[in-house]
Amino acid sequence: MTRLWYGGDYNPEQWDPAVWKQDVDLMRQAGVNLVTVGVFSWSSLEPSPGQYDFGWLDRILDLLHDGGVSVDLATPTASPPPWFTRLHPEAMPVTPAGVRLTHGSRDTYCVCAPAYREAARGIARALAERYRDHPAPAMWHVHNEYGTTCYCPLAAERFRSWLQERYGSLDRLNEAWTTAFWSQGYADWTDIEPPRQTQYLVNPTQFLDYRRFWSDELLAAFLEQKAELRAQSELPITTNFVFGGWVPVNHARWAEEVDVVAIDHYPDQAGIGAEEQTAFGADLARSWAGGKPWLLMEQAGGTLNDGRRLHPKEPGRMARHSLSHIARGSRGALFFQWRASRGGAEMYHSAMVPHAGADSRIFREVAELGSVLPRLAEVAEGNIVAEVAILWDVECWWAMQGTHLPSSALDYLSAVRSAHRHFWSAGVTVDFAAPDADLSTYRLVVVPSLYVVSDVAAARLAAYVESGGQLVVGYFSGIVDPDLRVRTDGYPGAFADLLGVRVEEFHPLPIDGEIALASGGSGRTWSEDVQAATAEVVDRYAGGVLDGKPAITRRQVGAGTAWYVSTEVDRETMADLLQLPASQVETVEWRSGDTTWTFLINHGDSRAVVPARGIELVTGDPVDGELVVPAGGYAVVRSA
Ligand code: GLA
C-alpha cells in the first residue's frame, strides 16, 4: 500500500439508485479512493435463505470502479437477517442473566452456534465467488467489530472443550481456579458453566478464562471466513478492531492473522482528552500491527460523542485527528459513514456528507483533507522512531475487571492511558509492547499496573534492565501469576527482587483522596507500605501512617536501572522522573536513511514556532530554520 486511503463506510442500499451516481461524483470531488461496502447488507444480499440478490451490489461496484474508487468489500455477518432467527432460534445470544435476545438491532447471534458459523461461511463464500475477479475490490473486510459475548448452552460446551485443551485435567483447572475456596471443586467437566449471573462475586479466573476463550472462539470464526475468501482471492484480508472494556478480543494476538490491522476509533471525551485518546488508539494499533500495515477504518467526521450528547468537532479538528492517526502510521483515514442515514438507529451519527448535503462546512473540510493526503503519502518510505515502550497486556485489563480487587479505583486502562499521556504531552512517540516482547531496542520501558505477569515476562524484564535498560514499574504490578494466584512473600511479587523492594501491606487511597510526597508532589488512587530492601529511596510519603516510608525507589541492576513508583503520582512528578518537557505540538518523526519526516500537529490555541528545515509537504514551501504551526493547524516537514 503506497498511497494513503481515504473514504469510509458506504451503505448504498439505504438510498435510491439516483443518489448513487451523485455519491460517486462527490467522492471524486472529495479525493475518496476507498469505501467499505456491504458491512450490514446481509438481508439485502440474501433476502431468503440461499436466494441471493447481487444485482444492486454489481451495479454499485461497477459505478465505484468507473469513478476510480476502490472497495473494501465486507462480509455482512455482524447482522444476520430476521429469517435467520426464525430458522435458528438456538443461535440467538443469551445474556449472563439467561435472557435470550432476538433480532431488531445488530450483532445478535451466538458465534458458537453451528448454524451461525455455517451461514457466515456461506455468505462469505458466495461473495468471494461472485467478486473475486471484479476490479473494484482492493481488500476484503470480514464482519464488523468482533466483540459480542454469549452465555448459552452452545457457548458453554465450547468453553468446556477450550478448558480441556488449556488445562488437560480437572485437577489442574481446580488448582488454577482455586476452586477449593467456596466449595467450587469440579469433579465433572460438564458441571462447568460460563460465568453467568450468580449469587455473589464470581470466580476471578473463571471470568478471565471466559474472556480468553471467547477471543479464541471469535478468532476461529474469523479464520473460517478468511479461509473462504482466501480460497478465491489473493487480496489482503482485514477486520475492523473495536476497543473497549466489553470486547473479549486479544487484538495483539489477532493482528498475526490479518493482512492489514484495521481499527475503529471514537474518542469519548469532548475536550483535549479526545486528542490524547486518538494518539493512544493509533499507537496501540501500530504496536499490534508490528511491521504490518494498519489503517484507521472508521472515525466520526463531524462530531464527538461523550455518551450523553454529540459535540460538533470544531473547524480543523477532524483533519487533526485524521493526521494524528496517519502520523502514527495509519495508511489513511476512513470514516463511518459516507452519507448520513435518513433513518435507523444511527441516523444522527455524523458522516462525510451530512444531512445538510455537500454544501456544508463538514463536506468542505472532508474535501480539503482529501486534497492534502496525496501530498503526504511519501512518508510510507520511512519508519516511525520510538525509543520508549509502554507495556500493554489485554489479559491484565480483563483480570482487573474482576470484582475481587482491593480497591474499585484500580483501573488498568487509566493507568496505561496516564503513562501514555505523559509522553504524548511531551511530543515523545511511544510504542506499546507485550510484557514478554523483545524490548532491547527501547531506552526506556514503562510498566503501568501490570497486575498479572508470567514468570517468562518477569525474567525478560529483568534481563532488559540487566543489559542497560531503564525500567519504570508502576504500583500494583507483579502481584499474581496468569492463574490469578498471588505471588507470596511480599508484593510486588514477580518484581520484588528486581526492584529491590518489599511490600507487606496495601494502602488504597479514598476515591478522590491524595497523599503528599516529601518532594512536594502527590499521589492518588493507591499507596503501599514499601520497604526499600536493596533499592535507593527517591521520594517518600509525607504525613499520615506512611510518613517517611518510600514512595518512589530506584535500583541499579547490571548496566540498567529499575524504578518503582508505588502510587499514581501527579503529572509534574512523573514528568520530572521521566525528564519530559511540556509541548502543545504533537510531534512524530519518521526516518529512512538520511531523510526525516516530522508531523507537527498543534492542538493548542496559540501558534507554535518550531525549529525546522526542509520542505513543508502540505504547502510545498521551503522551511529555513523555523516553522510557524498555526493554532489548530498541522504541518509535515521533510528534511534531508
Ligand atoms: C462502529 C461500527 C459502525 C457504526 C459506528 C458508529 O464503529 O462499526 O457500524 O455503528 O460504530 O458509532
Side-chain angles (χ1 to χ4, degrees):
M1 292 205 290
T2 49
R3 61 178 165 170
L4 290 172
W5 294 115
Y6 192 55
D9 277 47
Y10 181 37
N11 298 302
E13 65 271 40
Q14 298 176 43
W15 299 95
D16 187 274
V19 180
W20 300 354
K21 177 80 184 55
Q22 194 196 346
D23 279 332
V24 177
D25 289 345
L26 286 176
M27 285 177 193
R28 292 174 72 105
Q29 244 185 70
V32 164
N33 56 19
L34 185 71
V35 291
T36 302
V37 179
V39 180
F40 289 110
S41 308
W42 202 340
S43 69
S44 311
L45 291 171
E46 194 179 357
S48 55
Q51 301 286 303
Y52 296 110
D53 175 6
F54 287 122
W56 67 271
L57 188 53
D58 293 350
R59 285 198 295 286
I60 279 290
L61 292 199
D62 291 348
L63 262 178
L64 289 165
H65 179 67
D66 293 345
V69 180
S70 295
V71 171
D72 169 39
L73 188 55
T75 68
T77 52
S79 200
W83 57 253
F84 181 82
T85 316
R86 177 175 18 94
L87 295 179
H88 304 290
E90 82 293 353
M92 292 300 102
V94 172
T95 66
V99 178
R100 199 178 277 278
L101 306 178
T102 189
H103 64 264
S105 177
R106 65 178 190 189
D107 287 303
T108 316
Y109 51 84
C110 172
V111 86
C112 295
Y116 170 75
R117 294 279 269 269
E118 196 186 316
R121 284 196 304 270
I123 186 74
R125 188 181 320 126
L127 280 165
E129 280 168 355
R130 179 117 190 150
Y131 297 109
R132 64 183 175 195
D133 298 322
H134 196 286
M139 204 183 313
W140 293 101
H141 178 302
V142 174
H143 200 84
N144 190 68
E145 297 190 335
Y146 276 101
T148 44
T149 317
C150 169
Y151 297 80
C152 76
L154 295 168
E157 256 175 58
R158 302 286 299 167
F159 182 41
R160 288 175 203 125
S161 312
W162 183 91
L163 290 169
Q164 288 185 0
E165 184 84 8
R166 179 176 176 91
Y167 293 110
S169 72
L170 276 176
D171 283 351
R172 177 64 197 107
L173 176 137
N174 281 316
E175 184 197 8
W177 286 18
T178 316
T179 58
F181 192 66
W182 283 355
S183 174
Q184 292 175 356
Y186 292 100
D188 191 327
W189 288 102
T190 55
D191 289 338
I192 302 177
E193 298 289 352
R196 297 206 181 102
Q197 193 165 314
T198 182
Q199 185 64 19
Y200 183 42
L201 306 181
V202 79
N203 183 307
T205 318
Q206 178 187 11
F207 174 87
L208 173 60
D209 271 348
Y210 204 59
R211 287 270 167 133
R212 288 169 168 150
F213 149 69
W214 207 259
S215 179
D216 288 352
E217 190 65 34
L218 291 172
L219 181 60
F222 164 77
L223 289 173
E224 285 170 12
Q225 288 201 44
K226 182 180 169 188
E228 294 290 351
L229 301 172
R230 185 56 77 232
Q232 310 284 340
S233 158
E234 283 308 310
L235 290 179
I237 299 173
T238 190
T239 180
N240 51 339
F241 291 172
V242 59
F243 184 78
W246 52 276
V247 179
V249 169
N250 184 336
H251 293 116
R253 160 76 188 98
W254 278 53
E256 296 164 20
E257 307 290 352
V258 296
D259 299 317
V260 177
V261 167
I263 61 158
D264 297 347
H265 199 261
Y266 297 95
D268 60 10
Q269 294 180 29
I272 189 74
E275 279 69 29
E276 289 173 359
Q277 289 182 327
T278 298
F280 177 87
D283 284 337
L284 257 185
R286 182 184 70 259
S287 306
W288 291 331
K292 281 184 189 176
W294 76 271
L295 180 62
L296 171 66
M297 188 60 90
E298 286 184 28
Q299 64 173 330
T303 55
L304 288 160
N305 187 346
D306 68 8
R308 290 181 304 264
R309 67 184 170 100
L310 298 177
H311 301 255
K313 283 190 188 174
E314 298 82 347
R317 206 169 179 193
M318 177 278 288
R320 291 203 309 280
H321 287 187
S322 303
L323 259 284
S324 177
H325 281 283
I326 291 170
R328 292 165 193 280
S330 173
R331 298 303 303 140
L334 279 76
F335 298 80
F336 177 87
Q337 57 180 330
W338 164 252
R339 187 182 277 279
S341 301
R342 291 192 62 183
E346 293 192 327
M347 61 176 137
Y348 295 112
H349 195 282
S350 74
M352 301 170 85
V353 182
H355 287 148
D359 183 9
S360 57
R361 170 181 76 88
I362 289 176
F363 184 74
R364 280 186 286 278
E365 288 194 26
V366 162
E368 191 191 328
L369 180 61
S371 73
V372 168
L373 293 191
R375 294 173 232 159
L376 310 183
E378 64 173 68
V379 297
E381 293 160 30
N383 284 305
I384 293 176
V385 193
E387 294 177 349
V388 177
I390 296 175
L391 295 196
W392 167 258
D393 182 7
V394 77
E395 292 199 359
C396 193
W397 189 18
W398 295 341
M400 285 178 66
Q401 287 172 6
T403 43
H404 62 296
L405 298 183
S407 166
S408 62
L410 285 167
D411 179 339
Y412 181 66
L413 183 62
S414 14
V416 177
R417 276 200 196 287
S418 128
H420 184 266
R421 189 177 308 126
H422 292 299
F423 294 98
W424 180 81
S425 327
V428 174
T429 309
V430 301
D431 284 343
F432 288 100
D436 58 357
D438 172 12
L439 300 167
S440 55
T441 56
Y442 299 105
R443 75 173 163 78
L444 172 65
V445 173
V446 179
V447 184
S449 296
L450 193 67
Y451 169 57
V452 187
V453 68
S454 68
D455 294 346
V456 173
R460 291 251 167 105
L461 286 166
Y464 164 75
V465 184
E466 194 73 45
S467 58
Q470 303 291 309
L471 185 75
V472 178
V473 177
Y475 61 92
F476 207 58
S477 291
I479 309 290
V480 296
D481 68 17
D483 294 336
L484 305 192
R485 288 171 65 83
V486 169
R487 295 172 176 280
T488 50
D489 296 326
Y491 314 121
F495 299 128
D497 289 345
L498 174 65
L499 299 168
V501 299
R502 182 160 188 272
V503 175
E504 287 180 32
E505 288 173 48
F506 297 141
H507 285 245
L509 295 174
I511 309 295
D512 295 332
E514 265 191 19
I515 190 162
L517 301 179
S519 61
S522 63
R524 298 176 72 83
T525 309
W526 188 256
S527 60
E528 295 171 357
D529 187 346
V530 180
Q531 299 157 35
T534 55
E536 271 172 76
V537 180
V538 174
D539 204 346
R540 294 181 186 273
Y541 291 111
V545 287
L546 296 180
D547 187 43
K549 300 267 177 97
I552 302 176
T553 62
R554 173 176 58 206
R555 178 169 177 251
Q556 288 300 130
V557 183
T561 313
W563 306 71
Y564 186 50
V565 182
S566 66
T567 176
E568 176 75 41
V569 294
D570 65 282
R571 267 188 197 221
E572 292 69 32
T573 304
M574 200 57 170
D576 275 1
L577 188 80
L578 300 170
Q579 298 175 354
L580 294 171
S583 157
Q584 71 179 45
V585 179
E586 180 172 333
T587 309
V588 183
E589 214 168 87
W590 293 57
R591 247 179 255 157
S592 166
D594 290 341
T595 310
T596 304
W597 293 265
T598 310
F599 284 80
L600 300 157
I601 308 173
N602 185 356
H603 299 300
D605 45 22
S606 57
R607 61 181 214 146
V609 184
V610 287
R613 211 172 281 281
I615 303 288
E616 200 287 306
L617 298 181
V618 178
T619 56
D621 293 341
V623 188
D624 193 13
E626 224 173 48
L627 178 71
V628 175
V629 188
Y634 58 86
V636 184
V637 181
R638 183 210 307 128
S639 332

